[in-house]
Amino acid sequence: MLLFSSLISGLLAVSAEIQFNKPKIKQDELLIITCELSGFQADAKVRILREKEQILLSEGGNGNAFGSWQISGQGVSKQASTSDMAEYKCVADDSAGNFAFTERALIVLVPPSIPSIVQPSDKKLIVGKAGELVCMAEGSPPPSYTWYKQDQATGVTLKLPADARTNARSFPNSQFTVDQNIVKFLNVTESDAGEYWCEARNEAGTSTGEPVFVGVGSLNIASVVGIVFAVIFGVALIGIIAFVIFKKVTGADSDSYMGENEVFDDEGNDVAMGESYDPYEHHKGTNRQDISHVV
């Protein structure tokens, strides 16, 4: 029992804690990763791994760094990048049989890129129909979004609420909801026209997009006419293809029939149009009995 207690005490006495100079670090800042040991012998072997990739191997205080990492005191360092956002592990053991490890996640902060409205591509909504505005930006962690609109009548900038129907004073006749980077119009009205833009924000910073005018209108007559003509053209093309195929099939049968008849006619013409064929001339010198026999 005493031996077991001593063993447990020994195991609890050693530790290998992985440390970041900043647990959440911005892109391009200096990143330093160390492994703080406690209770190990001087000959302790220390390894720091990123996922399964070894980035530091240290034995007795002498370390080697791998890849783009550099030795920094008892750890490694480099300029932080998005690829460094991963799970890191510190593993340590020594000649006395002590062993310990810990792991910890590093977050690399990247400010949002300038957001832009990507849908609808033509920046137009159809009156009386449902529609959407979609804003996109890149960042780490993924950004949250805020939408704005400039009132056409007053020129005042308005922040879009989660549901326009709860703010009829600022958005009369509008029926839309906001879900992060998407504005969903339940039924587009004339009052929904105007300049829209979005703001993307995360722990690393904030970016604001350029205002974009989103127009509204009825279904384009030219588009309808174009669709109708496209349908008519498609039907006509199918008809022409079917007719050509039919002609080819029936034409092949006719050619086959004519070919057979031409052979028959040629044989007939050969008999009729040959050199003066006189059966009597052929049978000159034969007697009546022979002729009768032939007949």
Side-chain angles (χ1 to χ4, degrees):
M1 184 67 175
L2 181 61
L3 179 62
F4 180 75
S5 299
S6 300
L7 179 61
I8 293 297
S9 299
L11 291 175
L12 293 176
V14 298
S15 65
E17 296 290 335
I18 191 163
Q19 299 289 338
F20 306 128
N21 60 324
K22 291 183 179 180
K24 292 183 179 180
I25 191 167
K26 291 184 179 181
Q27 187 176 22
D28 297 326
E29 285 188 336
L30 180 63
L31 169 62
I32 302 174
I33 303 177
T34 58
C35 189
E36 302 295 332
L37 301 184
S38 176
F40 281 91
Q41 301 290 329
D43 63 353
K45 178 189 294 184
V46 180
R47 289 178 293 160
I48 297 178
L49 300 96
R50 179 178 62 184
E51 305 295 354
K52 295 182 179 180
E53 174 195 5
Q54 182 170 268
I55 60 176
L56 172 72
L57 174 61
S58 175
E59 294 188 66
N62 298 316
N64 291 314
F66 302 92
S68 58
W69 296 87
Q70 296 180 346
I71 292 292
S72 178
Q74 297 300 310
V76 289
S77 65
K78 70 185 293 289
Q79 298 300 119
S81 66
T82 54
S83 62
D84 297 321
M85 189 159 53
E87 290 280 344
Y88 288 82
K89 183 182 295 184
C90 176
V91 182
D93 62 86
D94 62 19
S95 58
N98 295 311
F99 173 82
F101 80 93
T102 56
E103 57 184 356
R104 188 178 179 189
L106 174 70
I107 296 176
V108 178
L109 302 176
V110 180
S113 60
I114 297 176
S116 61
I117 297 175
V118 297
Q119 289 184 18
S121 57
D122 59 359
K123 307 302 183 287
K124 292 181 180 179
L125 299 170
I126 306 302
V127 173
K129 301 290 184 180
E132 289 185 349
L133 300 181
V134 180
C135 180
M136 293 296 294
E138 299 292 333
S140 174
S144 58
Y145 296 84
T146 304
W147 282 88
Y148 298 93
K149 177 188 178 184
Q150 187 176 63
D151 185 88
Q152 287 186 295
T154 64
V156 175
T157 297
L158 302 172
K159 179 182 175 181
L160 271 59
D163 192 331
R165 293 167 293 184
T166 64
N167 194 344
R169 182 177 179 180
S170 298
F171 299 93
N173 303 318
S174 290
Q175 300 179 39
F176 64 77
T177 60
V178 177
D179 182 11
Q180 281 295 326
N181 66 320
I182 302 176
V183 180
K184 298 180 179 180
F185 295 90
L186 307 179
N187 185 35
V188 175
T189 66
E190 294 286 349
S191 63
D192 292 322
E195 286 192 333
Y196 291 82
W197 65 95
C198 54
E199 180 184 87
R201 181 193 304 270
N202 66 10
E203 295 178 61
T206 301
S207 296
T208 303
E210 293 293 327
V212 173
F213 183 80
V214 177
V216 300
S218 57
L219 191 61
N220 193 328
I221 299 300
S223 298
V224 174
V225 172
I227 293 172
V228 171
F229 273 104
V231 172
I232 294 174
F233 176 78
V235 172
L237 182 62
I238 292 173
I240 292 172
I241 294 173
F243 177 75
V244 170
I245 293 174
F246 174 78
K247 289 294 292 180
K248 284 185 174 294
V249 172
T250 56
D253 292 342
S254 176
D255 291 345
S256 176
Y257 172 77
M258 290 300 295
E260 291 176 359
N261 282 310
E262 285 175 3
V263 171
F264 177 81
D265 290 342
D266 287 345
E267 290 177 353
N269 290 336
D270 287 345
V271 173
M273 298 177 63
E275 295 181 359
S276 299
Y277 177 75
D278 185 353
Y280 293 102
E281 184 68 24
H282 179 71
H283 291 288
K284 281 183 179 180
T286 60
N287 56 31
R288 184 183 299 269
Q289 185 177 356
D290 292 334
I291 295 172
S292 299
H293 179 72
V294 171
V295 175

